[in-house]
């Protein structure tokens, strides 16, 4: 069932989204050569405690996972696309870093992610991949207007991503967001324009393109059961916002 949100409920997701934005901004600042991915997780966890929010990832245990998720962030480096578990690995200059964060505030969830290159020099190919991922997210958001269809969102995302020659992580996409982090509907990153659910004010969704350099869509799981890596070792980037469809158009909730 798709749970539509009232204006007040959208504002509640927006409040959670502001915390997510602030945490991701702090993590971006802290990400530097020599920093362990677990250090970023510790920083985010401290900021969550200070903000009085609940980390939505910690202890999350979907059917397909071998263990509950052990972190408050997903930190995915280089060929890791998403769901990288924070650990002792030290970031190095030139690493392509993706960070995903979700929190619950007063029972409402918001979910967002970004990618960046750590330190310098940055590989121009990595910067182009990150930029294309952000552009595909922006195109997906711009398509999320009342009266459009869910397929228009995936069509817009894929047009940018495929148009630039990138792969898109198979079997993964965005999702409804609300009291739970993952709600209906599934939001495909590649779809047919004019098809699917009609978007109406009150629908809250996370849009999250995952782009892969080199053009493959294929992936494999790490032995940890969570980390998703590109099948051929190519680098990947991820960008995500939680948005609401409103009468006035898309409203980004995971922003300052
Ligand atoms: N933002 C991610 C998603 O929507 C959440 C990561 S899964 C978790 O799939 F286990 F870490 F929570
Ligand atoms: Co998400």
């Amino acid at each position: 069932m798709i749970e539509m949100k009232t204006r007040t409920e959208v504002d509640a997701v927006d409040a959670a989204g502001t915390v997510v934005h602030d945490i991701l901004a702090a993590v971006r600042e802290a990400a530097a050569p020599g920093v362990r991915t677990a250090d970023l997780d510790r920083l985010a966890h401290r900021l969550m405690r200070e903000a009085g929010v609940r980390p939505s990832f910690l202890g999350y245990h979907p059917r397909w996972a071998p263990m509950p998720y052990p972190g408050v962030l997903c930190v995915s480096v280089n060929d890791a696309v998403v769901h990288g578990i924070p650990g002792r690995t030290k970031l190095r200059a030139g690493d392509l870093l993706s960070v995903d964060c979700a929190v619950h505030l007063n029972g409402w969830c918001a979910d967002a992610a970004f990618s960046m290159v750590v330190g310098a020099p940055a590989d121009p190919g990595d910067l182009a991949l990150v930029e294309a991922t952000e552009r595909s997210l922006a195109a997906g958001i711009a398509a999320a207007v009342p009266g459009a269809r869910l397929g228009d969102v995936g069509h817009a995302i894929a047009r940018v991503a495929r148009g630039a020659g990138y792969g898109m992580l198979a079997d993964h996409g965005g999702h409804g967001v609300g009291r739970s982090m993952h709600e209906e509907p599934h939001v495909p990153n590649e779809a047919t324009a004019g098809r699917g659910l009609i978007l109406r004010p009150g629908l809250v969704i996370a849009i999250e393109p995952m782009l892969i350099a080199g053009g493959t869509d294929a992936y494999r799981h790490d032995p940890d059961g969570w980390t998703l890596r590109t099948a051929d070792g190519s680098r990947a980037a991820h960008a995500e916002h939680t948005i609401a469809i409103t009468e006035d158009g898309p409203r980004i909730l995971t922003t300052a």
Side-chain angles (χ1 to χ4, degrees):
M1 228 225 349
I2 295 173
E3 303 270 7
M4 302 299 281
K5 279 77 182 177
T6 64
R7 172 65 202 255
T8 310
E9 291 170 341
V10 170
D11 287 342
V13 177
D14 186 78
T18 302
V19 176
V20 169
H21 166 273
D22 292 350
I23 290 168
L24 288 179
V27 169
R28 185 191 281 274
E29 279 296 305
V35 172
R36 295 186 201 277
T37 58
D39 297 334
L40 300 178
D41 200 71
R42 246 189 309 280
L43 166 65
H45 206 169
R46 176 170 64 75
L47 295 173
M48 289 178 191
R49 275 191 295 268
E50 286 172 9
V53 299
R54 174 167 78 79
S56 310
F57 294 174
L58 187 63
Y60 181 66
H61 196 179
R63 268 181 307 280
W64 49 263
M67 58 170 175
Y69 192 74
V72 305
L73 299 177
C74 296
V75 184
S76 308
V77 180
N78 296 337
D79 64 327
V81 192
V82 288
H83 301 171
I85 297 177
R88 293 185 51 77
T89 315
K90 281 185 179 167
L91 296 173
R92 292 182 302 188
D95 275 349
L96 205 176
L97 170 70
S98 301
V99 182
D100 194 337
C101 175
V103 305
H104 274 77
L105 172 60
N106 298 323
W108 293 92
C109 182
D111 183 9
F114 73 93
S115 290
M116 65 179 283
V117 178
V118 176
D123 181 299
D126 288 343
L127 294 177
L129 173 63
V130 170
E131 194 256 348
T133 305
E134 288 169 357
R135 261 192 303 124
S136 69
L137 173 58
I141 293 171
V145 296
R149 287 177 181 265
L150 202 51
D152 296 321
V153 173
H155 176 76
I157 294 169
R159 219 168 88 92
V160 172
R162 299 292 189 198
Y166 294 115
M168 302 180 72
L169 184 70
D171 311 328
H172 289 76
H175 48 91
V177 182
R179 290 191 181 276
S180 303
M181 175 168 63
H182 290 143
E183 297 186 353
E184 288 182 55
H186 175 65
V187 179
N189 284 331
E190 189 156 36
T192 307
R195 298 280 195 86
L197 180 76
I198 298 177
L199 306 180
R200 299 189 196 287
L203 182 67
V204 175
I205 54 174
I207 302 179
E208 47 180 318
M210 292 156 261
L211 271 56
I212 300 174
T216 185
D217 297 357
Y219 63 90
R220 59 190 173 79
H221 279 98
D222 262 13
D224 68 26
W226 275 100
T227 312
L228 258 159
R229 291 187 194 277
T230 59
D232 62 1
S234 325
R235 293 176 164 227
H238 177 209
E240 175 176 20
H241 273 306
T242 299
I243 69 149
I245 284 79
T246 78
E247 265 103 24
D248 304 326
R251 173 178 165 196
I252 300 177
L253 304 176
T254 38
T255 189

